[in-house]
Amino acid sequence: QSALTQPASVSGSPGQSITISCTGTSSDVGGYNSVSWYQHHPGKAPKLMIFDVSSRPSGVSDRFSGSKSGNTASLTISGLQAEDEADYYCSSYTTSSTVVFGGGTKLTVL
Amino acid sequence: EVQLLESGGGLVQPGGSLRVSCAASGFTFSSYAVNWVRQAPGKGLEWVSAISGSGGSTYYADSVKGRFTISRDNSKNTLYLQMNTLRADDTAVYYCARGRSGQYHYSDMDVWGQGTTVIVSS
């Protein structure tokens, strides 16, 4: 199972919006509404930000939103804040009953 | 407080074995599927394995199938990962992570431990 494809890095200024893409295949992203997004600050535990493509867990800011079109899912962060600077990973359930992660995207807040 | 705490990491020689554990607290452990996810140095997250709440169903990544075994003891609220025939590319921080809802739902993970480090080197 190949990793999902994410851009290695994205950046934005405080207050701006950014979007991170996550491209898979019909065997994972395109085949299920089981796409999740995680925020990971190095040295800390990853944090679930989005599940089921576009749902937010309790306590996650509504500045974070998710969507999907075909084999590509996206995470949008609006009103960028300094604390949003982190690594972001998408993941998807697959037809093999496994989970596949994306390669990760480093978000820099300028 | 809902918590997961990994332990058992360390230095092991190539070809060797190691068992890491994950102690759960603050929730009904047997009601949730649980995963192992790892992160090699300088790399991204990689899903390793999952187990249903009862322990009756297990799932593995191709990279570890046949070498790693996931198990759980619900009476001790503890998850295990037995790792055999270890290779240098198994070197990573190993996280346990709870499936968000239900005994069989493991694909999104809402509670994570801090991780335990496994180094495979001679």
Side-chain angles (χ1 to χ4, degrees):
Chain A
Q1 181 73 52
S2 299
L4 306 176
T5 300
Q6 297 182 231
S9 62
V10 298
S11 63
S13 300
Q16 287 186 331
S17 295
I18 63 95
T19 297
I20 300 172
S21 62
C22 169
T23 301
T25 68
S26 58
S27 296
D28 38 65
V29 174
Y32 302 93
N33 286 325
S34 297
V35 176
S36 302
W37 289 91
Y38 300 88
Q39 178 190 66
H40 191 200
H41 290 103
K44 293 198 163 186
K47 178 183 178 183
L48 179 65
M49 306 302 286
I50 296 287
F51 65 92
D52 291 351
V53 176
S54 59
S55 297
R56 274 189 312 275
S58 173
V60 171
S61 170
D62 61 3
R63 297 186 299 105
F64 291 82
S65 62
S67 63
K68 190 184 86 167
S69 178
N71 295 338
T72 298
S74 299
L75 172 71
T76 298
I77 308 173
S78 59
L80 266 181
Q81 300 178 0
E83 69 223 42
D84 298 333
E85 185 161 296
D87 297 322
Y88 289 85
Y89 294 89
C90 61
S91 74
S92 175
Y93 183 73
T94 81
T95 53
S96 302
S97 300
T98 61
V99 177
V100 61
F101 280 92
T105 298
K106 181 176 180 61
L107 169 61
T108 301
V109 180
L110 302 170
Chain B
E1 182 188 1
V2 175
Q3 264 191 324
L4 297 170
L5 183 63
E6 303 91 341
S7 62
L11 175 64
V12 60
Q13 292 191 337
S17 297
L18 192 67
R19 188 179 80 162
V20 292
S21 303
C22 171
S25 60
F27 64 99
T28 304
F29 183 60
S30 60
S31 295
Y32 291 86
V34 200
N35 299 266
W36 286 103
V37 176
R38 68 185 180 183
Q39 185 175 33
K43 303 291 187 181
L45 299 176
E46 179 189 14
W47 179 82
V48 173
S49 183
I51 188 168
S52 62
S54 66
S57 297
T58 58
Y59 312 88
Y60 296 94
D62 287 344
S63 59
V64 306
K65 198 175 296 182
R67 299 189 300 123
F68 289 12
T69 302
I70 191 172
S71 63
R72 64 193 297 162
D73 185 337
N74 286 341
S75 69
K76 296 182 178 178
N77 290 341
T78 302
L79 172 73
Y80 303 100
L81 185 68
Q82 175 67 44
M83 301 182 287
N84 298 331
T85 318
L86 281 161
R87 311 186 303 223
D89 62 0
D90 294 317
T91 294
V93 175
Y94 285 75
Y95 297 97
C96 59
R98 188 183 80 169
R100 183 182 52 83
S101 71
Q103 286 212 25
Y104 295 98
H105 191 95
Y106 54 89
S107 61
D108 43 85
M109 305 163 218
D110 65 342
V111 179
W112 293 65
Q114 292 294 323
T116 187
T117 300
V118 173
I119 300 173
V120 183
S121 175
S122 54

